[in-house]
């Protein structure tokens, strides 16, 4: 029985986890942060790394130490362990992130090279190819490290390094004054930017596939599987930090040459065009295709693995085909309508995921206070749902009026203080419950 991975296999597993996290959004947010933060770049990056790297890495570790997402959520309530993972898998899977990988890669890897609008036929052909290839690669989730870790990720890292090296050797501009949003609290604004990557939700899901790949390398002892999973999270986190820093640096140099940057994609397109001309656009197209394809495959694997366990009437290949077909249909027809529904759901469950991770990490100290879990999670879920509804046009009437008065509500953290107070109440109630049980035993 192997007790640990070899150094090489540990690196490949870490690369695989990195590729599962690093999608189109992860490419776009850091350059825009660099552009917006200007000479406050590293202060903004500090906050961004905390929310976009540390939280996801802690999420991977929390799930591993808890024995899986189902066991972790069962500490709240048995029904919660069914509903919450289902919402996560569907929201960031076929109803949002998977179809968006095809749409984004099409927009960045195909559209820029066309002289006129091709219409829907080319999109249909491209997405058909994209999801067919993704389905074939996802057919063996335990072998992802061979494709994503050993081939796709090194290619992706090399191409990003090529752009970064070009900016270092031939700067396309220089740092400028930060935009108003970064002038007062750059670290907090950076944290909010990283919050939008939604990688903390993904972290709760990816452990299931990483575990399969570790087992496929011959490690079968559960204790060592947990350890290797945590090490993979650390490797992926280190890579994410380096790449985010490089992309943010690229964005920070564009402030003097690009005066109307609406998003990170526009910033990267301008930077590579200045550096390498038409070839730069080709490099960027390959980068977006690889990152989107990696995330697409990863999410299909995670969703299919979970559904094949929870609903075994369809085997893993069948669920993979179902999710590929649903994502293909949405990418071609109704992505905007799905976004209108999915985004409020994601913003509702994201704070719940953060609180769940924190509770899992401090579980050894609160294991005898079980009511902390349901009290804290219920409060967080109610307030985060009300907060997300307040931001959806036409749904404001369903939000809580008092929410605006809570500390941090303006920034989307109105749930934070009530969650902490609920944890205190849960701890007190757990103690009272235990005292009542002891008194009852003495009375008997």
């Amino acid at each position: 029985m192997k007790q640990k991975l070899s150094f090489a296999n540990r690196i490949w597993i870490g690369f695989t986890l990195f590729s599962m996290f690093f999608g189109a959004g992860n490419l776009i947010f850091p350059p825009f942060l660099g552009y917006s933060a200007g000479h406050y770049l590293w202060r903004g990056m500090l906050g961004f790394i905390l929310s976009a790297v540390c939280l996801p890495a802690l999420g991977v570790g929390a799930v591993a130490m808890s024995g899986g997402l189902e066991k972790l959520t069962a500490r709240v309530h048995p029904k919660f362990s069914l509903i919450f993972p289902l919402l996560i898998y569907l929201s960031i899977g076929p109803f949002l992130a998977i179809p968006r990988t095809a749409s984004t890669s099409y927009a960045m890897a195909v559209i820029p090279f066309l002289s006129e609008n091709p219409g829907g036929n080319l999109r249909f052909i491209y997405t058909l190819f994209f999801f067919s290839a993704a389905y074939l690669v996802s057919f063996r989730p335990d072998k992802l490290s061979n494709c994503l870790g050993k081939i796709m990720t090194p290619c992706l890292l090399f191409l990003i390094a090529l752009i970064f090296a070009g900016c270092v050797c031939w700067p396309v501009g220089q740092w400028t004054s930060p935009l108003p949003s970064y002038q007062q609290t750059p670290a907090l604004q950076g944290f909010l930017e990283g919050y939008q990557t939604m990688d903390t939700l993904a972290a709760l899901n990816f452990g299931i596939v990483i575990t399969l790949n570790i087992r496929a390398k011959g490690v079968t002892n559960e204790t060592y599987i947990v350890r290797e999973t945590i090490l993979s999270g650390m490797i992926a986190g280190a890579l994410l930090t380096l790449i985010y820093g490089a992309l943010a640096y690229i964005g920070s140099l564009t402030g003097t040459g690009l005066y109307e940057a609406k998003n990170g994609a526009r910033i990267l397109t301008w930077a590579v065009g200045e550096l390498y001309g038409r070839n730069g656009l080709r490099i960027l197209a390959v980068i977006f295709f690889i990152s989107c394809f990696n995330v697409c495959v990863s999410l299909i694997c995670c969703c299919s693995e979970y559904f094949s366990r929870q609903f075994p009437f369809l085997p893993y290949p069948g669920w993979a085909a179902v999710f590929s077909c649903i994502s293909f249909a949405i990418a071609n027809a109704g992505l905007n309508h799905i976004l209108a529904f999915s985004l409020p759901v994601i913003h509702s469950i994201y704070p719940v995921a953060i609180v769940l991770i924190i509770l899992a990490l401090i579980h050894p100290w609160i294991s005898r206070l079980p009511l902390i879990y349901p009290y804290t999670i219920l409060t967080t879920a109610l307030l985060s749902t009300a907060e997300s509804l307040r931001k959806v046009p036409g749904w404001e009437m369903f939000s809580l009026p008092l929410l605006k008065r809570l500390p941090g509500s303006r920034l989307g953290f109105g749930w934070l203080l009530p969650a902490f107070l609920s944890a205190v109440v849960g701890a007190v109630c757990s103690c009272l419950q235990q005292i009542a049980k002891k008194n009852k035993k003495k009375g008997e």
Side-chain angles (χ1 to χ4, degrees):
M1 178 189 299
K2 292 178 66 175
Q3 295 185 347
K4 64 178 182 178
L5 294 172
S6 66
F7 177 78
N9 281 333
R10 186 175 294 155
I11 294 297
W12 298 137
I13 296 292
F15 275 25
T16 303
L17 183 57
F18 163 82
S19 69
M20 294 168 74
F21 279 123
F22 197 78
N26 307 72
L27 272 168
I28 291 172
F29 286 122
F32 190 71
L33 182 152
Y35 173 86
S36 303
H39 56 250
Y40 286 164
L41 170 65
W42 302 119
R43 296 187 194 179
M45 278 303 298
L46 176 62
F48 186 86
I49 289 170
L50 284 175
S51 59
V53 177
C54 294
L55 273 178
L58 289 174
V60 172
V63 172
M65 290 187 295
S66 302
L69 181 58
E70 290 80 11
K71 291 184 179 179
L72 173 57
T73 51
R75 295 171 183 169
V76 180
H77 193 274
K79 291 184 178 179
F80 182 79
S81 68
L82 295 175
I83 296 173
F84 185 70
L86 194 65
L87 284 175
I88 291 180
Y89 282 110
L90 290 178
S91 296
I92 71 166
F95 288 161
L96 179 59
I98 298 178
R100 193 168 62 180
T101 58
S103 300
T104 304
S105 62
Y106 176 76
M108 295 301 299
V110 177
I111 294 295
F113 301 96
L114 302 176
S115 57
E116 59 184 23
N117 189 353
N121 290 333
L122 183 58
R123 177 188 292 271
F124 181 89
I125 295 172
Y126 175 84
T127 52
L128 180 62
F129 160 77
F130 186 88
F131 285 115
S132 297
Y135 173 73
L136 292 176
V137 175
S138 66
F139 202 77
R140 289 294 304 274
D142 56 330
K143 301 295 183 182
L144 278 191
S145 62
N146 294 334
C147 177
L148 272 58
K150 295 182 180 180
I151 301 174
M152 304 290 271
T153 300
C155 292
L156 180 65
L157 295 176
F158 172 77
L159 294 175
I160 294 175
L162 189 63
I163 298 176
F164 176 70
C167 282
V168 171
C169 297
W170 306 285
V172 293
Q174 58 186 357
W175 290 4
T176 59
S177 299
L179 297 182
S181 59
Y182 278 87
Q183 288 177 358
Q184 299 297 324
T185 53
L188 178 58
Q189 190 62 36
F191 184 92
L192 294 174
E193 287 290 334
Y195 191 84
Q196 296 181 61
T197 63
M198 301 298 171
D199 279 346
T200 302
L201 288 181
L204 298 178
N205 300 335
F206 289 160
I208 191 172
V209 173
I210 290 300
T211 298
L212 288 174
N213 281 264
I214 293 173
R215 291 182 187 277
K217 300 298 182 183
V219 180
T220 56
N221 184 284
E222 290 298 326
T223 301
Y224 291 104
I225 289 175
V226 170
R227 188 184 72 172
E228 294 296 344
T229 302
I230 294 173
L231 288 173
S232 298
M234 295 172 64
I235 294 171
L239 272 177
L240 285 170
T241 301
L242 290 174
I243 297 304
Y244 287 155
L247 291 171
Y249 178 78
I250 294 170
S252 69
L253 299 178
T254 60
T256 54
L258 185 62
Y259 298 103
E260 293 184 4
K262 296 181 179 180
N263 53 56
R266 173 76 180 103
I267 292 170
L268 288 175
T269 301
W270 182 84
V272 298
E274 289 291 309
L275 285 171
Y276 302 116
R278 192 73 172 174
N279 288 329
L281 295 179
R282 295 188 179 95
I283 293 173
L284 192 61
V286 176
I287 288 174
F288 267 89
F289 177 82
I290 292 176
S291 60
C292 289
F293 185 80
N294 287 351
V295 171
C296 178
V297 170
S298 304
L299 289 173
I300 290 175
C301 288
C302 292
C303 293
S304 303
E305 187 67 30
Y306 174 77
F307 273 75
S308 63
R309 292 184 181 183
Q310 295 295 324
F311 310 102
F313 61 84
L314 202 61
Y316 173 89
W319 280 116
V322 168
F323 291 132
S324 299
C325 291
I326 292 175
S327 302
F328 168 74
I330 292 175
N332 281 278
L335 183 58
N336 289 335
H337 298 292
I338 294 296
L339 283 174
F341 172 76
S342 297
L343 287 178
V345 174
I346 287 178
H347 284 289
S348 297
I349 63 180
Y350 203 85
V352 177
I354 293 176
V355 172
L356 200 60
I357 289 170
I358 294 172
L359 293 178
L361 294 174
I362 64 173
H363 182 73
W365 295 277
I366 63 170
S367 58
R368 295 185 179 181
L369 306 170
L371 292 180
I372 288 180
Y373 278 89
Y375 281 39
T376 309
I377 293 300
L378 179 60
T379 301
T380 305
L382 289 175
L383 291 177
S384 62
T385 300
E387 209 164 52
S388 65
L389 292 177
R390 185 160 55 92
K391 300 175 183 179
V392 179
W395 289 19
E396 297 92 340
M397 65 182 73
F398 298 105
S399 65
L400 300 176
L402 293 177
L403 189 64
K404 296 180 181 179
R405 301 181 182 180
L406 292 172
S409 178
R410 185 176 60 86
L411 299 172
F413 295 99
W415 51 270
L416 196 55
L417 179 59
F420 174 76
L421 295 176
S422 297
V424 174
V425 173
V428 172
C429 290
S430 294
C431 292
L432 293 176
Q433 191 180 65
Q434 291 173 10
I435 293 172
K437 288 181 178 179
K438 288 181 180 178
N439 290 336
K440 186 177 180 180
K441 288 183 179 179
K442 289 181 180 179
E444 293 175 352

